[in-house]
Amino acid sequence: MKETLFDINRLVRPNVARLKPYSSARDEFEDFEAEMVFIDANENPFESDVNRYPDPQQRKLKEVLAARRGVPADNILLGNGSDEVLDLLFRAFCEPAQDNVLTLPPTYGMYKVLAEINNVENREVLLSQEYQPRVKDILEAADRNTKILFLCSPNNPTGNSFSAESVTALLEGFGGLVVIDEAYIDFSAQESCLHRLEEYPNLVVTQTLSKAYGLAGIRLGICFASPGVIAVLNRIKPPYNVNALTQRRALIRLDDPDSIDKEVSDVKREKGLLFNALLEVKFVSQVFPSDANFILARVDDANLRYRQLLDKGIVVRNRTTQPLCENCLRFTVGTPEENSRLMEELRGMV
Ligand SMILES: *Cc1c(COP(=O)(O)O)cnc(C)c1O
């Protein structure tokens, strides 16, 4: 394990460290697949496929995810989307009106919203012109109350990944938790940071089934971290935060890795075609290379082009108000038919 400034006992909120967690019926008698009479949880006894509470620790699902990602199940916590996982991190580690977090705009908007909801100061250090973290400025912006640094890589909305050197420098130079949001990692040529978990106890990696796995509707987010961090989050998570239908549906999907892999490679191929086609559009001045399933492109007038596309029945994301994203639109890679339709409309626009 690397010598780091990290000390989990200094980071966790005192009330969280002190509290006695809620113990559910399914925590107290865990073997709920056994042939027993279960009259401990005030459930309706008449069997349907959802009359029982779900496994609060989602053990089967964690086992499958652990095997797929090559990480022990003890390093995993699951949430109702990554958004819940991120919120748990705030609630476990950031004292309202006292602590702060660091975010690097332009990036995913939820970090800032969660900071506001939790009454935690959000310190912003803009990415460089190349959309890379400015390591020195970030470390200078941190103080003793800076509990979490959010790195989104591949980054939304810019699509690029952060350089391995800057991520390492931040993991080693920052004394709080470094959360690497890998929502788009399956589309990336860059390697996931999961293999660094053992080396860096301050590293938290979040992933999701919402993008590459095609399950945005079931809400399943994954947090990978050292067992100490996972234990803290387990103290405060709602007991049944991942419902039974979600657990089942995720298992069905994970049982068919070939179809996931095929969809991801189809999206990557289509992204290449879309990238080249966007370069040819006359009012597109810049197309940013992407490690994700979307492409950011700079146009002459984002508001105008956004409205024109809407009139044609195509909804894209206008990112023009984001710093360093002036006149930029974000295009999610669609089906081949949707992408052709988009290109046809863009080519026809004056
Ligand atoms: C889409 C996205 C997520 C996914 O959030 P879920 O709550 O798991 O659906 C997380 N982080 C980033 C950066 C995203 O773009």
Side-chain angles (χ1 to χ4, degrees):
M1 212 183 270
K2 274 260 157 59
E3 245 339 285
T4 64
L5 314 165
F6 177 71
D7 171 9
I8 192 167
N9 298 316
R10 184 185 73 75
L11 287 188
V12 67
R13 289 172 66 194
N15 63 311
V16 171
R18 267 194 318 264
L19 73 83
K20 185 173 175 332
Y22 178 73
S23 181
S24 71
R26 291 293 164 269
D27 287 320
E28 289 178 8
F29 187 89
E30 293 187 9
D31 188 6
F32 42 88
E33 303 221 321
E35 285 297 319
M36 307 289 267
V37 173
F38 285 104
I39 48 176
D40 57 345
N42 297 348
E43 295 151 336
N44 179 322
F46 302 108
E47 286 299 329
S48 70
D49 59 347
V50 286
N51 62 314
R52 299 292 177 183
Y53 279 106
D55 177 0
Q57 281 298 324
Q58 312 96 19
R59 280 169 290 193
K60 273 194 206 147
L61 185 48
K62 279 183 189 166
E63 246 170 64
V64 173
L65 288 166
R68 187 166 165 99
R69 293 307 197 192
V71 169
D74 287 352
N75 292 73
I76 301 179
L77 175 125
L78 302 180
N80 184 5
S82 340
D83 291 345
E84 184 186 39
V85 167
L86 298 169
D87 187 53
L88 288 174
L89 286 163
F90 272 94
R91 293 202 287 137
F93 295 101
C94 301
E95 195 62 36
Q98 175 184 310
D99 289 335
N100 66 78
V101 298
L102 280 165
T103 62
L104 316 181
T107 193
Y108 186 45
M110 273 309 280
Y111 315 134
K112 181 182 187 162
V113 171
L114 288 168
E116 282 168 3
I117 291 170
N118 287 287
N119 195 19
V120 168
E121 181 195 350
N122 174 37
R123 294 194 179 168
E124 301 189 321
V125 180
L126 286 196
L127 293 174
S128 69
Q129 286 294 333
E130 298 74 43
Y131 296 146
Q132 288 294 323
R134 296 186 300 173
V135 173
K136 187 165 161 286
D137 296 342
I138 294 166
L139 294 178
E140 277 172 14
D143 61 23
R144 253 192 94 72
N145 291 326
T146 310
K147 297 297 187 69
I148 308 178
L149 164 63
F150 289 97
L151 304 178
C152 187
S153 181
N155 188 37
N156 178 5
T158 59
N160 65 299
S161 302
F162 295 160
S163 77
E165 302 80 69
S166 38
V167 171
T168 302
L170 291 166
L171 278 168
E172 295 187 356
F174 176 60
L177 292 174
V178 177
V179 175
I180 305 188
D181 185 337
E182 293 191 338
Y184 299 100
I185 194 67
D186 297 283
F187 302 105
S188 173
Q190 309 293 317
E191 160 177 61
S192 159
C193 283
L194 282 179
H195 69 281
R196 310 177 81 172
L197 275 179
E198 260 188 82
E199 198 181 349
Y200 295 102
N202 59 332
L203 170 62
V204 176
V205 177
T206 63
Q207 296 183 356
T208 177
L209 299 196
S210 295
K211 308 284 158 63
Y213 288 73
L215 296 176
I218 72 169
R219 313 303 302 129
L220 192 89
I222 313 165
C223 174
F224 300 92
S226 53
V229 170
I230 297 295
V232 169
L233 298 177
N234 266 320
R235 295 172 69 78
I236 65 164
K237 84 170 185 68
Y240 303 114
N241 62 328
V242 179
N243 73 67
L245 299 176
T246 293
Q247 294 188 42
R248 259 179 249 155
R249 188 60 189 264
L251 282 167
I252 292 170
R253 182 65 165 148
L254 289 163
D255 198 34
D256 189 7
D258 290 349
S259 115
I260 301 167
D261 295 346
K262 171 157 191 325
E263 289 179 10
V264 167
S265 72
D266 286 355
V267 166
K268 289 206 275 198
R269 191 194 56 241
E270 279 296 310
K271 177 174 66 174
L273 298 175
L274 187 60
F275 184 91
N276 291 331
L278 283 168
L279 287 173
E280 302 299 319
V281 175
K282 59 180 183 306
F283 54 81
V284 170
S285 58
Q286 206 174 0
V287 187
F288 295 92
S290 167
D291 272 332
N293 66 336
F294 56 81
I295 296 176
L296 189 74
R298 184 165 272 130
V299 298
D300 54 350
D301 181 344
N303 293 331
L304 170 69
R305 302 307 175 183
Y306 175 82
R307 266 183 277 115
Q308 286 179 320
L309 281 168
L310 263 193
D311 287 342
K312 303 288 185 188
I314 297 177
V315 189
V316 302
R317 194 91 152 117
N318 185 355
R319 298 283 76 187
T320 192
T321 58
Q322 298 291 302
L324 306 171
C325 292
E326 194 181 39
N327 282 319
C328 287
L329 299 175
R330 192 190 70 193
F331 302 89
T332 307
V333 178
T335 62
E337 297 70 31
E338 289 171 333
N339 302 331
S340 308
R341 175 85 202 282
L342 168 69
M343 289 317 305
E344 208 176 290
E345 298 295 357
L346 286 174
R347 288 193 195 104
M349 268 178 200
V350 287

